[in-house]
Amino acid sequence: MDASSYSYEGDVCIHTDPATGYQYQWNTEEKKWEPKTSTETQVVANASTEPKYEIVGNTYVYKDENGRLLEWDLSAKEWKPKIVTKAKRIAKNPDEEFDSSDASDEEKLLEQKRSVISHHVCVNSNGVRTYTDPSDGTIFEWDEDKKAWFPKLDEEFIARYQLSYGGNAIAEPEPVPVPEPHTKKKEPQPKLEKKQASEPNWFEVDQTKNTKVYVTNLPSDISEEEVVEFMQKCGMVEKDLESGKHKIKLYRDENGQVKGDALCTYIKVESVDLALRILDGSVLKGNTVGVERAKFMLKGDYDPTKKPRKRKKKDVEKLKRKQEKLFDWRPDKLRGERSRNENVVVLKRLFKPEEFDVNPAMLLEYQRDLREECAKFGHVKRVIIFDRNEEGAAQIFFKTPEEADRCIEVLHGRWFAGQKITAETWDGQTKYRKDETEEEKSARLKKWSEFLTKEEQEESDD
């Protein structure tokens, strides 16, 4: 430490930087060195005497005796080493190796250009930075948004531009003609001759999938049930998924009389081969029956409305399960196991159908009361009330036969709404639902509409 650089002015200690001549005074309260005079005055003064000071942006930089580049920090009021960001060199060829010597030369050249520009940068009273080109005297202004220098458009610049190039200084660019896109004309393609529609003729379905047979010379007094019984000697006849009827079609004339031929659909393809060997040429009610594989012919024009509706995936799977169950060798129930219909209890003499005509809401009350009462005997899955049944019948579905037995034991012979009810196990076949006629249906709907209208009027009066 050189003691000659320190001096005192009264009680204040002054330090003079031997490299820059800049003076600092010691602040005893904050325990740090502070510039003796205003920052701008000293730096400007030093910049006038020391040519190595450079103005960069809104601050100053200089190199000390050791060649270090220092920058004045306005917030900390002290000199700090300047951080130089090195620009990365982008290789034009991706396979080209990077040479550090080239990068250092480029950085030196860039630093020299910045140093030259910084000598000619001035800041006016409005805070706008300007740069004067030493070669031709053109004045440029710094655009802070675009981070670039642009020529200052004043009268002097316009006069110099006209002197150099002539014409208007700011000329509108001539429109560049845009060439019309070259469209390749499409050559007309030769028209393809329409194929003539072939006449309707016989065609055969794939033998591995065809389960239909055509039966001829049947008796005129035969019924569909008799045809099913005759054809099932060679295999099971398929049933319709919706109607549950066998797929046997007896052809009839305009008067509804049997013509003597029929179409039969088996479940298995193997049944077709058996029918051709066994049933073809057999005698039925005195007639020699003929059996052959079914063939089909298109008659008339194509009518899309007659196309059979495509089955849903779940319907196809349901049909497949039913067919597999028909060929399953396992019994429906094991030895000693009770049938499913024994889970269902049939209650009779619960009501009279006329009650629901007077008050349709009684149907819901009966259903709710039965569910609550039968829940005492086990898990009730479903309650069905046949409101048009003359015997006043209802079915209660339990989870197990034992729960149904307890229900029958308690409710059989019990009095309900002034009547002695009966409880028994469902036989699995009896149907208690009664189909009403159109007149009965319209009368019932009319009464139901009157009942709803009456309720709305009572609610509005309240």
Side-chain angles (χ1 to χ4, degrees):
M1 182 181 294
D2 189 3
S4 61
S5 61
Y6 293 91
S7 61
Y8 284 88
E9 293 182 1
D11 297 334
V12 180
C13 180
I14 306 298
H15 169 64
T16 304
D17 190 347
T20 61
Y22 197 89
Q23 291 185 338
Y24 300 88
Q25 63 183 9
W26 178 254
N27 190 335
T28 57
E29 296 178 357
E30 298 182 3
K31 305 296 182 182
K32 67 177 183 178
W33 292 99
E34 294 180 350
K36 182 179 178 183
T37 59
S38 63
T39 302
E40 295 181 359
T41 304
Q42 287 198 31
V43 174
V44 173
N46 290 336
S48 61
T49 58
E50 298 289 341
K52 55 188 175 183
Y53 283 94
E54 299 176 1
I55 302 174
V56 178
N58 57 353
T59 185
Y60 305 90
V61 296
Y62 84 99
K63 290 185 179 180
D64 60 5
E65 297 175 352
N66 298 326
R68 293 185 304 166
L69 188 64
L70 303 178
E71 182 180 20
W72 178 254
D73 191 341
L74 296 176
S75 60
K77 307 296 183 182
E78 60 182 2
W79 293 98
K80 291 184 178 181
K82 180 175 177 60
I83 300 175
V84 181
T85 56
K86 295 183 179 181
K88 294 184 179 180
R89 178 174 177 266
I90 301 175
K92 296 181 180 180
N93 188 358
D95 298 331
E96 178 184 358
E97 294 184 357
F98 181 75
D99 188 359
S100 59
S101 61
D102 296 341
S104 60
D105 294 341
E106 291 177 1
E107 291 176 3
K108 290 179 181 178
L109 181 61
L110 182 62
E111 188 65 31
Q112 289 177 3
K113 290 182 178 180
R114 289 178 179 174
S115 177
V116 171
I117 293 174
S118 62
H119 282 294
H120 301 85
V121 174
C122 299
V123 181
N124 57 16
S125 59
N126 297 328
V128 179
R129 287 186 290 173
T130 59
Y131 162 71
T132 304
D133 190 350
S135 60
D136 57 359
T138 304
I139 300 175
F140 295 86
E141 291 184 346
W142 176 256
D143 192 328
E144 190 64 28
D145 296 334
K146 299 181 179 180
K147 304 295 181 183
W149 294 98
F150 292 93
K152 183 178 180 181
L153 298 179
D154 52 5
E155 294 181 357
E156 183 180 354
F157 174 79
I158 295 174
R160 190 182 297 108
Y161 184 89
Q162 291 177 346
L163 183 63
S164 300
Y165 303 99
N168 295 330
I170 305 175
E172 296 183 358
E174 297 181 358
V176 180
V178 181
E180 296 183 359
H182 179 66
T183 56
K184 187 177 180 181
K185 295 182 179 180
K186 295 183 179 179
E187 297 180 358
Q189 297 181 355
K191 295 183 178 180
L192 300 176
E193 295 182 0
K194 294 183 178 180
K195 295 182 179 180
Q196 295 181 356
S198 57
E199 296 181 358
N201 55 358
W202 293 99
F203 66 92
E204 292 190 7
V205 185
D206 186 3
Q207 302 299 328
T208 60
K209 298 180 180 179
N210 187 12
T211 60
K212 300 179 183 295
V213 293
Y214 182 64
V215 188
T216 58
N217 200 25
L218 291 171
S220 59
D221 58 346
I222 196 170
S223 62
E224 290 186 1
E225 290 77 11
E226 291 175 332
V227 177
V228 171
E229 184 180 357
F230 175 71
M231 300 305 296
Q232 280 189 341
K233 295 178 180 179
C234 295
M236 301 191 68
V237 180
E238 186 178 345
K239 286 186 177 182
D240 185 77
L241 183 63
E242 297 179 354
S243 62
K245 296 180 179 180
H246 290 93
K247 287 191 174 182
I248 293 288
K249 183 177 181 181
L250 269 176
Y251 294 98
R252 302 176 183 273
D253 57 14
E254 297 177 355
N255 300 324
Q257 299 296 324
V258 176
K259 297 171 61 176
D261 54 348
L263 182 67
C264 174
T265 305
Y266 285 108
I267 295 178
K268 295 290 186 178
V269 180
E270 293 79 5
S271 302
V272 176
D273 297 330
L274 285 175
L276 295 177
R277 293 199 304 266
I278 299 174
L279 300 182
D280 185 26
S282 61
V283 179
L284 177 63
K285 290 186 175 182
N287 290 18
T288 303
V289 179
V291 180
E292 58 181 299
R293 295 184 187 275
K295 297 179 182 180
F296 304 92
M297 184 179 69
L298 179 64
K299 295 182 179 179
D301 297 331
Y302 174 71
D303 187 0
T305 59
K306 295 182 179 180
K307 185 178 180 181
R309 180 176 58 87
K310 188 177 180 180
R311 291 176 178 173
K312 297 181 181 178
K313 185 178 179 180
K314 61 178 183 180
D315 295 337
V316 175
E317 293 177 353
K318 184 179 180 181
L319 178 61
K320 187 177 180 181
R321 287 195 299 268
K322 284 185 176 181
Q323 292 177 354
E324 290 176 353
K325 188 176 180 181
L326 292 174
F327 293 97
D328 194 357
W329 59 269
R330 292 173 295 182
D332 294 337
K333 62 177 182 177
L334 300 177
R335 182 178 298 177
E337 185 180 4
R338 302 179 65 175
S339 303
R340 291 186 178 181
N341 60 284
E342 297 186 39
N343 297 355
V344 185
V345 176
V346 179
L347 300 178
K348 295 180 180 179
R349 302 182 68 184
L350 287 172
F351 54 85
K352 293 181 180 180
E354 295 79 11
E355 297 179 14
F356 303 118
D357 295 337
V358 178
N359 187 3
M362 291 292 293
L363 180 63
L364 299 177
E365 294 183 9
Y366 271 100
Q367 191 174 18
R368 183 176 60 253
D369 295 342
L370 284 175
R371 181 177 288 276
E372 292 178 357
E373 185 66 24
C374 295
K376 301 176 182 178
F377 313 115
H379 178 70
V380 178
K381 298 173 66 176
R382 187 170 46 165
V383 176
I384 301 177
I385 296 178
F386 303 99
D387 56 330
R388 310 308 302 173
N389 188 276
E390 297 176 353
E391 294 181 314
Q395 283 183 329
I396 294 89
F397 292 77
F398 288 95
K399 190 174 182 180
T400 62
E402 290 74 18
E403 296 173 347
D405 294 341
R406 289 197 294 269
C407 176
I408 295 173
E409 184 180 354
V410 175
L411 296 184
H412 182 66
R414 184 174 174 180
W415 290 87
F416 180 79
Q419 297 188 78
K420 189 176 182 180
I421 63 176
T422 61
E424 57 186 15
T425 304
W426 182 43
D427 58 5
Q429 296 181 354
T430 306
K431 305 296 182 182
Y432 297 97
R433 187 180 301 278
K434 181 182 178 182
D435 296 332
E436 56 185 351
T437 61
E438 291 295 330
E439 296 179 356
E440 293 176 344
K441 184 178 180 180
S442 59
R444 177 174 58 84
L445 293 177
K446 183 179 179 181
K447 290 181 180 180
W448 177 250
S449 177
E450 293 175 354
F451 172 77
L452 294 178
T453 306
K454 183 179 179 181
E455 276 195 344
E456 292 177 358
Q457 291 178 356
E458 291 178 355
E459 289 179 358
S460 60
D461 294 340
D462 295 341

